[in-house]
Amino acid sequence: MAERIVIVGGGPAGQAAAALLPEARLIARPDETAWHGEPGTVWLLRDGAVEPLGFDTLVIAAPVPRLAIAFGCAMRGWQPVVDEAGRTSVPGIHAAGAIIGAVTAEEAARHGRIIAQSILGLAPEGTILSADLPEDEEERRSLSHGFTPREAAVARLGEHGDTTDLFGPRLGEPILLFPASPVPLAALAARTTTPPAQRARQYDAFMQREQE
Amino acid sequence: MSGWGAIVIGGGLHGLSAALQLGRRGAKVLLLEADRVGAHASGASAAGVRTLGRDPAEIPIAVAALEMWRGIAGLVGEDCGFVQSGQVKVAETEAELAQLGERVAKVRALGWEHEEVIDRAELRRVLPAVAPHCVGGMIVRTDGFAIAYRTVLAFRRAAEAAGVVVREHSPVRGLERSGGTWRVRLDGGVTEGAPIVVNAAGAWGPRVAMLAGERIPIGYSAFMMLLTSPLPPFVTPVVGATGRPLSFKQLASGHVMIGGGHKGTGDLETGTYRLDIDRAAYSARTALELFPALEGSEIVHAWCGIEGVGEDDLPIIGLGRSEGLVHAFGFSGHGFAIAPAVGEMVAQLALYGQSNLPVAPFNPFRFS
């Protein structure tokens, strides 16, 4: 199966990425809204219905930080932390444009192109500098591919540093809230007519390892 | 620094309530919270204050706690948004109504009279907007709800006013007992000491117990909540269903909070959770089927609270095997209402080794 590339956002960053990635599925308001996500899936609102859309590669090119948070992207404040090529801490997920601090359409479009070039394996035309990206090259590398948000945070701040701003991205809220944008209750309710089984309680993997 | 009278591990509502009661009894209390106060189940709670439908083992505590809620401003200095709206469990079929009738009879036989069965007409009087298929219900007219995070902050302020020192971002790494003192090891080479430790670490309670060498291997769940856009007032009491998981209330702001049992998934390593959209969808469907007035609303927020859950859906409350250790965690999704009373029970257990309210059903070691 061909790689499924999804671009969220029809602004300058999303359009620029889409121009170089003709196979990609572009999600743009008002026709479609990506209102939530979980690994490998974005949840869409489309024609008044809620539906999941699977992806291998995702470009978040809309100012929807709660979508990035839903995938577990390491955050600094409301911005996903990205490397030179716009990669977030979650493999396969990129962020471009206003969500990482672009303040002009030109800058956003440049982000979109660089990410598309990186996805295509082409030499990127430049680098994305996430606002406040660490200057140290080793630190920058630690924020790219292959790191969990916690590992990326720990790499940046040390084992006992205050990592809450990065991997516990509640951003000053008492409890982390979703979704990225409101979804009609009736559209959500229409997804299912049969009662799902009650999910069984979970057990602490750490405790079970200790037991063995 | 040392010289503490008691160290409470866990800055949720139960830890704060226990710390408050210990502080009021003259103990010098240090409360250690790994994250931030109210970061998990307490802050995420639906905040129902419910005696309705309680497991018989919990009824004495829930009834005592409801009395405390009626005077909550006297206890913690503000009303925590508590309203005695009543709580209703709706029967959607005659079979469910019969089941509720049996339940009320059983509870009355135990000597408790707070629950009553209501028929179709009375159900419509208390819930004018309920769907036509609902045939009756069970009600406690004096139950209600509060506002979760506001309550947590009120208990924190009251505890601090009673001399409790609250230290956030302070995960506990080790617990050792020697010479009548617990040595509580923290990050950065810091150790604190006290003769009494209270384990109120919620879903992380089993880990804290294990640090003290005690195995209390209960599970946990990430209970999911939904909040709608504000709607004109259409429902006053907190509403539950009988045949499917639901808890439902309209806040003073008009927002409707929907919860009651469907679960996402939680990760104890990171303290993060994941929603389960299809289960959230079924919660939304249940709410919509009971209250058609929700038709045009939107879900504006959804979240989960990670909570310890016992095998019998009852909490862990009691003395540890080690001297000077009290466990109070795993409230299984219904601990918010009873927190004021459990704080007293924990303080009594810690200081006097026994409690005024019956604690035997919550024996920490009942599963092993």
Side-chain angles (χ1 to χ4, degrees):
Chain A
M1 192 172 65
E3 190 191 18
R4 300 164 302 170
I5 303 174
V6 173
I7 301 168
V8 172
Q15 295 286 357
L20 295 176
L21 299 165
E23 305 294 308
R25 167 85 179 269
L26 180 69
I27 307 298
R29 293 179 177 193
D31 298 340
E32 296 182 311
T33 305
W35 58 274
H36 189 53
E38 54 196 66
T41 299
V42 280
W43 283 93
L44 302 184
L45 178 67
R46 182 179 176 227
D47 295 331
V50 160
E51 57 186 64
L53 174 67
F55 68 83
D56 302 302
T57 298
L58 180 73
V59 181
I60 302 175
V64 282
R66 287 182 207 277
L67 189 61
I69 293 167
F71 291 113
C73 297
M75 304 291 285
R76 182 177 295 112
W78 287 98
Q79 295 186 6
V81 176
V82 294
D83 69 3
E84 294 92 332
R87 290 177 288 230
T88 70
S89 63
V90 178
I93 299 184
H94 311 251
I99 191 173
I100 54 165
V103 292
T104 64
E106 290 72 23
E107 178 67 1
R110 198 178 69 88
H111 288 176
R113 285 194 302 275
I114 291 168
I115 286 170
Q117 287 154 354
S118 150
I119 289 170
L120 291 166
L122 305 172
E125 67 184 63
T127 61
I128 291 175
L129 290 177
S130 178
D132 201 25
L133 198 75
E135 281 176 20
D136 181 77
E137 195 189 340
E138 202 167 313
E139 276 191 63
R140 279 208 304 277
R141 255 206 314 275
S142 78
L143 291 171
S144 67
H145 261 331
F147 280 81
T148 65
R150 171 183 277 269
E151 285 166 343
V154 167
R156 269 194 57 65
L157 300 168
E159 188 62 48
H160 301 305
D162 180 0
T163 53
T164 46
D165 62 327
L166 289 178
F167 76 82
R170 287 194 310 267
L171 308 171
E173 297 173 338
I175 295 288
L176 179 58
L177 297 172
F178 296 110
S181 58
V183 60
L185 181 139
L188 189 59
R191 257 199 74 72
T192 172
T193 52
T194 49
Q198 275 288 67
R199 186 190 287 284
R201 61 178 68 82
Q202 298 175 257
Y203 287 92
D204 188 348
F206 175 79
M207 293 284 290
Q208 287 176 332
R209 279 198 302 278
E210 290 292 314
Q211 214 175 308
E212 282 156 14
Chain B
M1 182 180 159
S2 198
W4 302 105
I7 294 176
V8 176
I9 301 171
L13 191 52
H14 281 280
L16 291 165
S17 181
L20 168 65
Q21 296 294 345
L22 285 162
R24 294 236 170 124
R25 284 164 176 76
K28 193 173 158 200
V29 182
L30 173 65
L31 183 144
L32 299 168
E33 162 55 47
D35 191 312
R36 284 187 286 183
V37 159
H40 295 291
S42 300
S45 172
V49 176
R50 177 176 62 83
T51 60
L52 177 78
R54 287 268 170 192
D55 186 289
E58 283 187 342
I59 292 176
I61 305 173
V63 168
L66 180 58
E67 275 311 299
M68 297 174 79
W69 277 104
R70 291 160 80 121
I72 198 72
L75 181 67
V76 297
E78 69 134 310
D79 67 16
C80 303
F82 175 61
V83 287
Q84 278 188 294
S85 59
Q87 291 224 9
V88 185
K89 205 172 178 76
V90 169
E92 297 183 77
T93 63
E94 291 296 341
E96 287 178 6
L97 188 58
Q99 191 187 322
L100 295 178
E102 284 165 28
R103 150 81 194 187
V104 171
K106 180 178 152 198
V107 168
R108 290 195 173 230
L110 294 170
W112 303 102
E113 302 197 331
H114 52 289
E115 294 176 353
E116 65 184 282
V117 173
I118 55 174
D119 63 12
R120 182 183 280 271
E122 179 62 3
L123 180 69
R124 277 171 182 69
R125 202 188 64 76
V126 298
L127 297 176
V130 78
H133 73 278
C134 299
V135 296
M138 173 169 82
I139 189 169
V140 174
R141 297 178 196 268
T142 50
D143 277 354
F145 65 90
I147 303 296
Y149 199 64
R150 184 169 155 192
T151 303
V152 169
L153 295 182
F155 271 78
R156 177 188 183 151
R157 283 192 300 272
E160 287 177 330
V164 175
V165 174
V166 175
R167 206 180 288 168
E168 297 177 294
H169 304 299
S170 298
V172 170
R173 305 296 184 191
L175 281 174
E176 284 121 45
R177 180 95 184 165
S178 68
T181 298
W182 284 107
R183 296 269 148 225
V184 180
R185 190 158 51 78
L186 305 171
D187 283 337
V190 177
T191 299
E192 300 286 353
I196 293 166
V197 162
V198 174
N199 172 11
W204 292 263
R207 290 192 183 193
V208 171
M210 198 174 65
L211 293 177
E214 304 198 349
R215 253 180 54 73
I216 310 176
I218 67 165
Y220 67 97
S221 289
F223 291 102
M224 198 159 45
M225 303 289 307
L226 306 174
L227 189 77
T228 71
S229 48
L231 295 170
F234 69 95
V235 58
T236 303
V238 180
V239 182
T242 306
R244 38 187 179 169
L246 179 75
S247 149
F248 179 96
K249 73 171 72 76
Q250 188 170 28
L251 307 176
S253 58
H255 298 82
V256 174
M257 200 184 274
I258 302 168
H262 280 297
K263 299 160 192 163
T265 50
D267 180 342
L268 296 187
E269 284 299 318
T270 58
T272 55
Y273 66 82
R274 193 174 294 164
L275 300 175
D276 180 324
I277 297 301
D278 280 329
R279 286 184 168 85
Y282 195 73
S283 284
R285 183 176 195 88
T286 305
L288 184 58
E289 285 176 0
L290 286 176
F291 289 98
L294 287 168
E295 178 68 37
S297 70
E298 292 186 307
I299 301 297
V300 296
H301 289 315
W303 65 91
C304 290
I306 301 176
E307 161 80 318
V309 179
E311 300 299 312
D312 50 6
D313 285 317
L314 290 176
I316 299 295
I317 309 171
L319 294 171
R321 293 208 163 102
S322 322
E323 196 193 344
L325 180 60
V326 183
H327 298 290
F329 62 89
F331 287 85
S332 306
H334 39 84
F336 182 88
I338 58 177
V342 174
E344 286 204 321
M345 293 168 75
V346 169
Q348 290 164 356
L349 285 167
L351 298 172
Y352 320 124
Q354 55 189 17
S355 155
N356 289 344
L357 288 164
V359 76
F362 314 111
N363 177 354
F365 306 101
R366 65 187 183 275
F367 305 120
S368 45

Coordinates of all heavy atoms in Angstrom, one line a residue, chain A residues 98-132:
Chain A
A98 N 1.9 28.5 11.3 CA 1.6 29.3 12.5 C 1.8 28.5 13.7 O 2.2 29.0 14.8 CB 0.2 29.9 12.4
I99 N 1.5 27.2 13.7 CA 1.5 26.4 14.9 C 2.9 26.3 15.5 O 3.1 26.1 16.7 CB 0.9 25.0 14.7 CG1 0.7 24.3 16.0 CG2 1.8 24.2 13.7 CD1 0.0 23.0 15.9
I100 N 3.9 26.5 14.6 CA 5.3 26.5 15.1 C 5.9 27.9 15.1 O 7.1 28.1 15.1 CB 6.2 25.5 14.4 CG1 6.2 25.7 12.9 CG2 5.8 24.1 14.8 CD1 7.3 24.9 12.2
G101 N 5.1 28.9 14.9 CA 5.6 30.3 15.1 C 5.7 31.1 13.9 O 6.2 32.3 14.0
A102 N 5.4 30.6 12.7 CA 5.5 31.4 11.5 C 4.5 32.6 11.6 O 3.3 32.4 12.0 CB 5.1 30.6 10.2
V103 N 5.0 33.8 11.3 CA 4.1 35.0 11.4 C 3.8 35.6 10.1 O 3.0 36.5 10.0 CB 4.8 36.1 12.4 CG1 4.8 35.6 13.8 CG2 6.2 36.5 11.9
T104 N 4.3 35.1 9.0 CA 4.0 35.6 7.7 C 3.6 34.4 6.8 O 4.0 33.2 7.1 CB 5.1 36.3 7.0 OG1 6.2 35.3 6.7 CG2 5.6 37.4 7.8
A105 N 2.8 34.6 5.8 CA 2.4 33.6 4.8 C 3.6 33.0 4.1 O 3.6 31.8 3.9 CB 1.4 34.1 3.8
E106 N 4.6 33.8 3.8 CA 5.8 33.4 3.1 C 6.5 32.4 4.0 O 6.9 31.3 3.5 CB 6.7 34.6 2.8 CG 6.2 35.5 1.7 CD 5.0 36.4 2.2 OE1 4.9 36.6 3.4 OE2 4.2 36.9 1.4
E107 N 6.7 32.7 5.3 CA 7.4 31.8 6.2 C 6.6 30.5 6.3 O 7.2 29.4 6.3 CB 7.6 32.5 7.5 CG 8.3 31.7 8.6 CD 9.7 31.4 8.3 OE1 10.2 31.9 7.2 OE2 10.4 30.7 9.1
A108 N 5.3 30.6 6.4 CA 4.5 29.4 6.6 C 4.6 28.5 5.3 O 4.8 27.3 5.4 CB 3.0 29.7 6.8
A109 N 4.6 29.1 4.1 CA 4.7 28.3 2.9 C 6.1 27.7 2.8 O 6.2 26.5 2.3 CB 4.5 29.3 1.7
R110 N 7.1 28.4 3.3 CA 8.5 27.8 3.3 C 8.5 26.6 4.2 O 9.1 25.6 3.8 CB 9.5 28.9 3.8 CG 10.9 28.6 3.4 CD 11.8 29.8 3.9 NE 11.9 29.8 5.4 CZ 12.8 29.1 6.1 NH1 13.7 28.3 5.5 NH2 12.8 29.2 7.4
H111 N 7.9 26.7 5.3 CA 7.8 25.5 6.2 C 7.2 24.3 5.5 O 7.7 23.2 5.5 CB 6.9 25.8 7.4 CG 7.5 26.7 8.4 ND1 6.8 27.1 9.6 CD2 8.8 27.3 8.5 CE1 7.6 27.9 10.3 NE2 8.8 28.0 9.7
G112 N 6.1 24.6 4.8 CA 5.3 23.6 4.1 C 6.2 22.9 3.0 O 6.2 21.7 2.9
R113 N 7.0 23.7 2.3 CA 7.8 23.2 1.2 C 9.0 22.3 1.8 O 9.3 21.2 1.3 CB 8.4 24.3 0.4 CG 7.4 24.9 -0.6 CD 8.2 25.8 -1.6 NE 9.0 26.9 -1.0 CZ 8.5 28.1 -0.7 NH1 7.2 28.3 -0.8 NH2 9.3 29.0 -0.2
I114 N 9.6 22.8 2.9 CA 10.7 22.1 3.5 C 10.2 20.7 4.0 O 10.9 19.7 3.8 CB 11.3 22.9 4.6 CG1 12.1 24.1 4.1 CG2 12.3 22.1 5.5 CD1 12.5 25.2 5.1
I115 N 9.1 20.7 4.6 CA 8.6 19.4 5.1 C 8.3 18.5 4.0 O 8.6 17.3 4.0 CB 7.3 19.7 6.0 CG1 7.8 20.3 7.3 CG2 6.5 18.4 6.2 CD1 6.6 20.8 8.2
A116 N 7.6 19.0 2.9 CA 7.3 18.1 1.8 C 8.6 17.6 1.2 O 8.7 16.4 0.8 CB 6.5 18.9 0.7
Q117 N 9.6 18.5 1.0 CA 10.9 18.0 0.5 C 11.5 16.9 1.3 O 12.0 15.9 0.8 CB 11.9 19.2 0.3 CG 11.5 20.2 -0.8 CD 11.9 21.6 -0.6 OE1 12.4 21.9 0.5 NE2 11.7 22.4 -1.6
S118 N 11.4 17.1 2.6 CA 12.0 16.1 3.6 C 11.2 14.8 3.5 O 11.8 13.7 3.5 CB 12.0 16.7 5.0 OG 11.8 15.7 5.9
I119 N 9.9 14.9 3.3 CA 9.1 13.6 3.2 C 9.5 12.9 1.9 O 9.6 11.7 1.8 CB 7.6 14.0 3.2 CG1 7.2 14.4 4.6 CG2 6.8 12.8 2.7 CD1 5.8 15.0 4.7
L120 N 9.8 13.7 0.8 CA 10.1 13.1 -0.5 C 11.6 12.7 -0.5 O 12.0 12.1 -1.5 CB 9.8 14.1 -1.6 CG 8.3 14.5 -1.8 CD1 8.2 15.7 -2.7 CD2 7.6 13.3 -2.5
G121 N 12.3 13.0 0.5 CA 13.7 12.6 0.5 C 14.6 13.5 -0.3 O 15.7 13.2 -0.7
L122 N 14.1 14.7 -0.7 CA 14.8 15.7 -1.4 C 15.6 16.6 -0.5 O 15.3 16.7 0.7 CB 13.9 16.6 -2.3 CG 12.9 15.8 -3.2 CD1 11.9 16.8 -3.8 CD2 13.7 15.1 -4.3
A123 N 16.6 17.2 -1.0 CA 17.4 18.2 -0.2 C 16.5 19.4 0.1 O 15.9 20.0 -0.8 CB 18.6 18.7 -1.0
P124 N 16.2 19.7 1.4 CA 15.3 20.8 1.7 C 16.0 22.1 1.3 O 17.2 22.3 1.4 CB 15.1 20.6 3.2 CG 16.2 19.8 3.7 CD 16.7 19.0 2.5
E125 N 15.1 23.1 1.0 CA 15.6 24.4 0.6 C 16.2 25.2 1.7 O 16.8 26.3 1.5 CB 14.5 25.2 -0.2 CG 13.4 25.6 0.8 CD 12.3 26.3 0.0 OE1 11.7 25.6 -0.8 OE2 12.0 27.5 0.3
G126 N 16.0 24.8 2.9 CA 16.5 25.5 4.1 C 16.2 24.7 5.3 O 15.9 23.5 5.3
T127 N 16.2 25.4 6.4 CA 15.8 24.8 7.7 C 14.7 25.5 8.4 O 14.5 26.7 8.2 CB 17.0 24.7 8.7 OG1 17.4 26.0 9.0 CG2 18.2 23.9 8.1
I128 N 13.9 24.7 9.1 CA 12.9 25.3 9.9 C 13.4 25.6 11.3 O 14.0 24.7 11.9 CB 11.7 24.4 10.0 CG1 11.0 24.3 8.7 CG2 10.7 24.9 11.1 CD1 9.9 23.3 8.7
L129 N 13.3 26.8 11.7 CA 13.8 27.1 13.1 C 12.6 27.3 14.0 O 12.0 28.4 13.9 CB 14.7 28.3 13.1 CG 16.1 28.1 12.4 CD1 16.9 29.3 12.4 CD2 16.8 27.0 13.1
S130 N 12.3 26.3 14.7 CA 11.2 26.4 15.7 C 11.6 27.5 16.6 O 12.7 27.7 17.0 CB 11.0 25.1 16.4 OG 10.1 25.2 17.4
A131 N 10.6 28.3 17.0 CA 10.9 29.4 18.0 C 11.6 28.8 19.2 O 11.2 27.8 19.7 CB 9.6 30.0 18.4
D132 N 12.7 29.4 19.5 CA 13.4 29.0 20.8 C 14.0 27.6 20.7 O 14.1 26.9 21.7 CB 12.4 29.1 21.9 CG 13.0 29.2 23.3 OD1 14.2 29.6 23.3 OD2 12.4 28.7 24.2

